[in-house]
Amino acid sequence: MPLDKPVRRVAIVGTGVIGASWAAQYLARGLEVIATDPAPNAEENLRKYVDAAWPDLTAIGLAKKVSRDRLAFTSDMKKALSEADLVQENGPERPDFKIKLFADIDAATPPDSIIASSSSGITMTVIQSSCKRPERCVIGHPFNPPHIIPLVEVVGGDKTSPETIRRAMAFYASIGKKPIFLRKAFPGHVANRLQAALYREVIYLIQQGVLSVADADIAVSYGPGLRWGVMGPSLLWHVGGGQGGIKHFMEHLMDPLNGLMKGLGNPDVTPELKQTIVDGVLQEAGDRSVEQLSQKENEVLVGLLKLRAKYAEEPSLIEA
């Protein structure tokens, strides 16, 4: 595959929430998008999602000469794929389904195009196993919602070429994402594992009667969560080490932290614990619907991204 083939036309396979969000992201970056999905009302739902996402994308910043008119839809997957420079697949998370779907995509897509999957739980080694050109297949797993959250986790399979990894990383970076390369395939990739690790301790503390569901949320979002929105945990420990930085932290503070880590809990996720969390979350949400909470989350996230972009224009640790 040539290293320099530009991506101008993206095919979206599967237009549920993730696929629709990807479509909105690609349109906002000035790309031509053709989407395909066999579900009833798929086109109508997709266009509604893109319209709803557009104000947030406008606030984040649109590329020049973008238009939602560059979104096309067809129920004919082969037609959607026939001229695609990159495919973003978002089908059901079932190995048998993904294997067959990728084989079909591989057969219908130009041979020098990238085929990326948004899969969060199935390895690319499994997904690409029936493809005739598996070297161009790669995981490009977004963090939800893709049109707002910059993170993309890129990981190949056993037959994915290094060239495909480089092309995928460069493409996602070119549209404003923050791609990271996973050198090994792990269940759940990275970001979901980090979420799971934190939540394990959160629900353990709730089960032990240490604090309420609402106070656990406050502890994260008004404590370390604020700092994690500025820089990652290792860089924060560098700052926490004072003048000695990370070296001082490792020499004097890592052993106590290691002792704390060894004492972290493993909750017994019983029906009672599940109900405690349900009751606590519903009380915390009050009369706000899931849709209202999601909208407010997106508004704050857009504001945070704009703030980060402002500081990125100056020399700072945020984008070092």
Side-chain angles (χ1 to χ4, degrees):
M1 291 184 292
L3 286 170
D4 57 351
K5 179 183 179 181
V7 175
R8 297 190 177 96
R9 182 181 176 94
V10 176
I12 301 290
V13 176
T15 59
V17 173
I18 299 297
S21 183
W22 267 127
Q25 165 74 17
Y26 291 137
L27 289 169
R29 304 319 303 163
L31 298 171
E32 184 178 351
V33 176
I34 182 164
T36 183
D37 193 308
N41 303 318
E43 180 177 5
E44 179 184 359
N45 292 335
L46 169 62
R47 294 189 183 278
K48 284 181 179 179
Y49 188 101
V50 170
D51 288 342
W54 209 251
D56 287 335
L57 287 162
T58 301
I60 293 170
L62 301 174
K64 294 180 180 179
K65 299 180 180 180
V66 304
S67 173
R68 280 170 281 180
D69 292 338
R70 301 186 77 178
L71 173 63
F73 183 91
T74 177
S75 58
D76 184 342
M77 189 177 77
K78 289 184 179 179
K79 181 180 178 181
L81 300 173
S82 62
E83 298 179 1
D85 301 315
L86 180 138
V87 179
Q88 190 76 48
E89 176 272 328
N90 315 277
E93 289 286 282
R94 301 199 312 268
D96 57 340
F97 184 92
K98 292 275 195 192
I99 292 169
K100 175 65 165 58
L101 179 60
F102 252 65
D104 292 341
I105 293 173
D106 180 44
T109 308
D112 55 352
S113 299
I114 296 173
I115 306 176
S117 176
S118 299
S119 178
S120 61
I122 306 172
T123 67
M124 181 45 63
T125 297
V126 170
I127 294 172
Q128 69 187 181
S129 59
S130 292
C131 292
K132 292 183 178 179
R133 289 180 288 268
E135 70 279 354
R136 66 200 184 120
C137 301
V138 66
I139 297 287
H141 176 248
F143 211 61
N144 198 31
H147 71 278
I148 293 179
I149 304 295
L151 179 67
V152 180
E153 298 171 318
V154 176
V155 57
D158 287 347
K159 298 179 181 179
T160 304
S161 72
E163 181 181 336
T164 296
I165 297 294
R166 289 193 296 270
R167 289 180 64 196
M169 292 286 289
F171 167 71
Y172 288 125
S174 75
I175 61 167
K177 309 304 283 184
K178 290 290 183 182
I180 60 171
F181 172 47
L182 278 57
R183 291 158 177 81
K184 292 182 179 181
F186 256 61
H189 306 314
V190 170
N192 281 333
R193 292 179 70 93
L194 295 175
Q195 286 193 128
L198 175 62
Y199 201 55
R200 180 177 69 178
E201 184 64 15
V202 164
I203 63 176
Y204 175 77
L205 293 171
I206 292 169
Q207 188 171 54
Q208 295 301 309
V210 175
L211 77 178
S212 67
V213 172
D215 282 345
D217 280 350
I218 291 171
V220 173
S221 62
Y222 284 90
L226 285 173
R227 302 180 72 190
W228 293 332
V230 178
M231 60 186 74
S234 294
L235 195 57
L236 281 170
W237 290 137
H238 182 50
V239 175
Q243 292 300 315
I246 191 64
K247 188 172 185 297
H248 175 84
F249 180 87
M250 287 295 169
E251 290 176 351
H252 299 281
L253 300 174
M254 189 61 206
D255 287 346
L257 180 63
N258 187 39
L260 180 60
M261 288 191 292
K262 291 179 178 178
L264 294 177
N266 228 347
D268 181 13
V269 184
T270 62
E272 292 76 18
L273 177 58
K274 292 179 181 179
Q275 190 60 50
T276 295
I277 295 170
V278 168
D279 294 342
V281 168
L282 293 179
Q283 183 177 1
E284 190 178 359
D287 59 359
R288 297 171 295 176
S289 68
V290 170
E291 290 75 16
Q292 289 172 321
L293 288 167
S294 178
Q295 182 178 1
K296 178 58 63 176
E297 178 193 24
N298 287 348
E299 289 174 3
V300 175
L301 286 171
V302 169
L304 289 172
L305 288 171
K306 292 172 70 176
L307 187 62
R308 288 183 65 104
K310 172 186 174 183
Y311 283 98
E313 295 172 358
E314 306 169 4
S316 70
L317 284 174
I318 294 179
E319 295 292 341

PDB file of all heavy atoms in Angstrom, residues 59-61 301-311:
ATOM      1  N   ALA A  59     -18.711  24.567  17.899  1.00  0.00           N
ATOM      2  CA  ALA A  59     -18.044  25.207  19.038  1.00  0.00           C
ATOM      3  C   ALA A  59     -16.593  24.750  19.160  1.00  0.00           C
ATOM      4  O   ALA A  59     -15.703  25.546  19.495  1.00  0.00           O
ATOM      5  CB  ALA A  59     -18.810  24.898  20.322  1.00  0.00           C
ATOM      6  N   ILE A  60     -16.340  23.478  18.895  1.00  0.00           N
ATOM      7  CA  ILE A  60     -14.964  22.967  18.943  1.00  0.00           C
ATOM      8  C   ILE A  60     -14.134  23.582  17.827  1.00  0.00           C
ATOM      9  O   ILE A  60     -12.972  23.930  18.007  1.00  0.00           O
ATOM     10  CB  ILE A  60     -14.966  21.425  18.835  1.00  0.00           C
ATOM     11  CG1 ILE A  60     -15.614  20.808  20.082  1.00  0.00           C
ATOM     12  CG2 ILE A  60     -13.542  20.880  18.675  1.00  0.00           C
ATOM     13  CD1 ILE A  60     -15.871  19.317  19.973  1.00  0.00           C
ATOM     14  N   GLY A  61     -14.750  23.725  16.653  1.00  0.00           N
ATOM     15  CA  GLY A  61     -14.060  24.314  15.511  1.00  0.00           C
ATOM     16  C   GLY A  61     -14.149  23.428  14.289  1.00  0.00           C
ATOM     17  O   GLY A  61     -13.663  22.293  14.296  1.00  0.00           O
ATOM     18  N   LEU A 301     -17.653  19.316  28.287  1.00  0.00           N
ATOM     19  CA  LEU A 301     -16.500  18.759  27.582  1.00  0.00           C
ATOM     20  C   LEU A 301     -16.033  19.689  26.467  1.00  0.00           C
ATOM     21  O   LEU A 301     -14.823  19.896  26.278  1.00  0.00           O
ATOM     22  CB  LEU A 301     -16.850  17.390  26.998  1.00  0.00           C
ATOM     23  CG  LEU A 301     -16.958  16.236  27.988  1.00  0.00           C
ATOM     24  CD1 LEU A 301     -17.531  15.003  27.309  1.00  0.00           C
ATOM     25  CD2 LEU A 301     -15.606  15.922  28.613  1.00  0.00           C
ATOM     26  N   VAL A 302     -16.974  20.253  25.720  1.00  0.00           N
ATOM     27  CA  VAL A 302     -16.608  21.198  24.661  1.00  0.00           C
ATOM     28  C   VAL A 302     -15.891  22.407  25.251  1.00  0.00           C
ATOM     29  O   VAL A 302     -14.882  22.881  24.707  1.00  0.00           O
ATOM     30  CB  VAL A 302     -17.859  21.634  23.865  1.00  0.00           C
ATOM     31  CG1 VAL A 302     -17.537  22.812  22.948  1.00  0.00           C
ATOM     32  CG2 VAL A 302     -18.392  20.472  23.032  1.00  0.00           C
ATOM     33  N   GLY A 303     -16.388  22.896  26.391  1.00  0.00           N
ATOM     34  CA  GLY A 303     -15.720  24.014  27.053  1.00  0.00           C
ATOM     35  C   GLY A 303     -14.308  23.666  27.492  1.00  0.00           C
ATOM     36  O   GLY A 303     -13.380  24.471  27.343  1.00  0.00           O
ATOM     37  N   LEU A 304     -14.129  22.450  28.007  1.00  0.00           N
ATOM     38  CA  LEU A 304     -12.798  22.021  28.429  1.00  0.00           C
ATOM     39  C   LEU A 304     -11.846  21.896  27.234  1.00  0.00           C
ATOM     40  O   LEU A 304     -10.676  22.284  27.320  1.00  0.00           O
ATOM     41  CB  LEU A 304     -12.896  20.674  29.156  1.00  0.00           C
ATOM     42  CG  LEU A 304     -13.532  20.693  30.546  1.00  0.00           C
ATOM     43  CD1 LEU A 304     -13.740  19.261  31.051  1.00  0.00           C
ATOM     44  CD2 LEU A 304     -12.667  21.463  31.528  1.00  0.00           C
ATOM     45  N   LEU A 305     -12.361  21.363  26.142  1.00  0.00           N
ATOM     46  CA  LEU A 305     -11.522  21.230  24.948  1.00  0.00           C
ATOM     47  C   LEU A 305     -11.108  22.599  24.409  1.00  0.00           C
ATOM     48  O   LEU A 305      -9.961  22.790  23.973  1.00  0.00           O
ATOM     49  CB  LEU A 305     -12.264  20.442  23.866  1.00  0.00           C
ATOM     50  CG  LEU A 305     -12.432  18.944  24.134  1.00  0.00           C
ATOM     51  CD1 LEU A 305     -13.367  18.316  23.097  1.00  0.00           C
ATOM     52  CD2 LEU A 305     -11.084  18.230  24.118  1.00  0.00           C
ATOM     53  N   LYS A 306     -12.022  23.549  24.440  1.00  0.00           N
ATOM     54  CA  LYS A 306     -11.695  24.903  23.981  1.00  0.00           C
ATOM     55  C   LYS A 306     -10.654  25.532  24.900  1.00  0.00           C
ATOM     56  O   LYS A 306      -9.745  26.241  24.440  1.00  0.00           O
ATOM     57  CB  LYS A 306     -12.958  25.760  23.928  1.00  0.00           C
ATOM     58  CG  LYS A 306     -13.934  25.335  22.844  1.00  0.00           C
ATOM     59  CD  LYS A 306     -15.249  26.079  22.930  1.00  0.00           C
ATOM     60  CE  LYS A 306     -15.102  27.532  22.544  1.00  0.00           C
ATOM     61  NZ  LYS A 306     -16.414  28.223  22.532  1.00  0.00           N
ATOM     62  N   LEU A 307     -10.760  25.263  26.203  1.00  0.00           N
ATOM     63  CA  LEU A 307      -9.781  25.795  27.144  1.00  0.00           C
ATOM     64  C   LEU A 307      -8.408  25.170  26.912  1.00  0.00           C
ATOM     65  O   LEU A 307      -7.387  25.867  26.926  1.00  0.00           O
ATOM     66  CB  LEU A 307     -10.255  25.524  28.577  1.00  0.00           C
ATOM     67  CG  LEU A 307      -9.432  26.157  29.708  1.00  0.00           C
ATOM     68  CD1 LEU A 307      -9.451  27.677  29.616  1.00  0.00           C
ATOM     69  CD2 LEU A 307      -9.983  25.711  31.065  1.00  0.00           C
ATOM     70  N   ARG A 308      -8.389  23.863  26.685  1.00  0.00           N
ATOM     71  CA  ARG A 308      -7.118  23.191  26.392  1.00  0.00           C
ATOM     72  C   ARG A 308      -6.504  23.740  25.108  1.00  0.00           C
ATOM     73  O   ARG A 308      -5.288  23.947  25.022  1.00  0.00           O
ATOM     74  CB  ARG A 308      -7.319  21.681  26.261  1.00  0.00           C
ATOM     75  CG  ARG A 308      -7.587  20.967  27.583  1.00  0.00           C
ATOM     76  CD  ARG A 308      -7.693  19.467  27.347  1.00  0.00           C
ATOM     77  NE  ARG A 308      -6.412  18.930  26.893  1.00  0.00           N
ATOM     78  CZ  ARG A 308      -5.579  18.236  27.660  1.00  0.00           C
ATOM     79  NH1 ARG A 308      -5.883  18.004  28.914  1.00  0.00           N
ATOM     80  NH2 ARG A 308      -4.450  17.783  27.170  1.00  0.00           N
ATOM     81  N   ALA A 309      -7.345  23.964  24.099  1.00  0.00           N
ATOM     82  CA  ALA A 309      -6.840  24.505  22.838  1.00  0.00           C
ATOM     83  C   ALA A 309      -6.246  25.896  23.041  1.00  0.00           C
ATOM     84  O   ALA A 309      -5.222  26.236  22.437  1.00  0.00           O
ATOM     85  CB  ALA A 309      -7.970  24.562  21.809  1.00  0.00           C
ATOM     86  N   LYS A 310      -6.854  26.681  23.898  1.00  0.00           N
ATOM     87  CA  LYS A 310      -6.344  28.023  24.189  1.00  0.00           C
ATOM     88  C   LYS A 310      -4.945  27.944  24.785  1.00  0.00           C
ATOM     89  O   LYS A 310      -4.030  28.652  24.366  1.00  0.00           O
ATOM     90  CB  LYS A 310      -7.282  28.741  25.148  1.00  0.00           C
ATOM     91  CG  LYS A 310      -6.749  30.076  25.661  1.00  0.00           C
ATOM     92  CD  LYS A 310      -7.664  30.658  26.713  1.00  0.00           C
ATOM     93  CE  LYS A 310      -7.053  31.921  27.329  1.00  0.00           C
ATOM     94  NZ  LYS A 310      -7.903  32.477  28.407  1.00  0.00           N
ATOM     95  N   TYR A 311      -4.760  27.066  25.765  1.00  0.00           N
ATOM     96  CA  TYR A 311      -3.456  26.955  26.414  1.00  0.00           C
ATOM     97  C   TYR A 311      -2.438  26.226  25.545  1.00  0.00           C
ATOM     98  O   TYR A 311      -1.231  26.394  25.733  1.00  0.00           O
ATOM     99  CB  TYR A 311      -3.595  26.274  27.772  1.00  0.00           C
ATOM    100  CG  TYR A 311      -4.135  27.208  28.822  1.00  0.00           C
ATOM    101  CD1 TYR A 311      -5.483  27.199  29.156  1.00  0.00           C
ATOM    102  CD2 TYR A 311      -3.307  28.124  29.458  1.00  0.00           C
ATOM    103  CE1 TYR A 311      -5.995  28.066  30.107  1.00  0.00           C
ATOM    104  CE2 TYR A 311      -3.802  28.992  30.412  1.00  0.00           C
ATOM    105  CZ  TYR A 311      -5.146  28.962  30.739  1.00  0.00           C
ATOM    106  OH  TYR A 311      -5.630  29.835  31.669  1.00  0.00           O
TER     107      TYR A 311
END
